[in-house]
Amino acid sequence: MDKKADDPQPRNPESQQPPSRCLVWTGYAILIWSVAYGLLHLLWALGIGLFMLRPSALEIPQFEAANLITAGLLTAVGFLGPMFIHLRGQRLLVWMLLAIAWAGCSLATSHGMYGIVHRTLQIAGVAGLESGPFNAVEHAYVLWDLLLFEPWFAIEGILLALIGWCTLD
């Protein structure tokens, strides 16, 4: 009996090839990057690390629920990376993942770039703050946004674009 005849044939020959290094690195980078930001939102929902946030954000009644939902969504986005790696041979699913990654890339990159420009203008005094001119002590949340949160969004968007590129390459 021929051993080849007993082997199930994959639906797509791409699934027999190992994934590219670009796809693997980018896929797991998205997982780590997104889950790390999700953990930060989880900490905020639990009341830890609140010094990084605008004081008025803490007054929102749905603050905990919003951060729990955001942590869940970021974790889901993180699992897009491994899904690209393991579902690469299934064309329909890959195209659906590419559509999700494209939307995520557009949202995250535009959010990050807008935030960086806006916060820079606030520090420069071109755009106003609610309580007057920028003061590093009083408006520390502006610095957190500029140096951590907005670049985080921009890099997330770049990673989502990169995984799309690695998938189509």
Side-chain angles (χ1 to χ4, degrees):
M1 179 175 226
D2 186 16
K3 186 165 180 136
K4 277 188 167 180
D6 292 337
D7 290 340
Q9 294 294 320
R11 286 189 264 172
N12 192 329
E14 289 177 13
S15 62
Q16 290 180 341
Q17 308 246 345
S20 70
R21 188 179 332 183
C22 176
L23 185 63
V24 172
W25 278 95
T26 307
Y28 288 112
I30 288 172
L31 176 66
I32 293 165
W33 197 257
S34 297
V35 170
Y37 202 39
L39 286 174
L40 184 58
H41 279 277
L42 179 62
L43 291 174
W44 289 340
L46 298 173
I48 301 167
L50 300 177
F51 64 91
M52 296 183 239
L53 303 175
R54 174 188 289 183
S56 62
L58 304 175
E59 298 169 6
I60 299 171
Q62 300 85 7
F63 178 78
E64 289 177 15
N67 277 291
L68 286 172
I69 291 168
T70 302
L73 287 173
L74 286 166
T75 302
V77 168
F79 282 100
L80 280 176
M83 289 174 71
F84 269 102
I85 297 167
H86 297 289
L87 299 176
R88 70 186 183 286
Q90 301 176 18
R91 289 202 186 277
L92 180 60
L93 290 176
V94 167
W95 282 104
M96 290 169 55
L97 290 173
L98 283 169
I100 294 167
W102 175 81
C105 168
S106 300
L107 288 170
T109 305
S110 62
H111 181 289
M113 298 313 293
Y114 170 80
I116 290 169
V117 170
H118 182 69
R119 293 305 189 191
T120 302
L121 291 174
Q122 285 180 322
I123 291 171
V126 176
L129 289 160
E130 299 85 25
S131 59
F134 176 75
N135 175 332
V137 174
E138 183 182 349
H139 303 112
Y141 67 90
V142 173
L143 294 173
W144 281 106
D145 275 359
L146 178 64
L147 300 174
L148 179 66
F149 304 132
E150 304 305 347
W152 201 299
F153 276 103
I155 292 170
E156 178 86 16
I158 292 167
L159 287 171
L160 289 168
L162 187 58
I163 200 159
W165 182 74
C166 292
T167 299
L168 295 175
D169 190 31

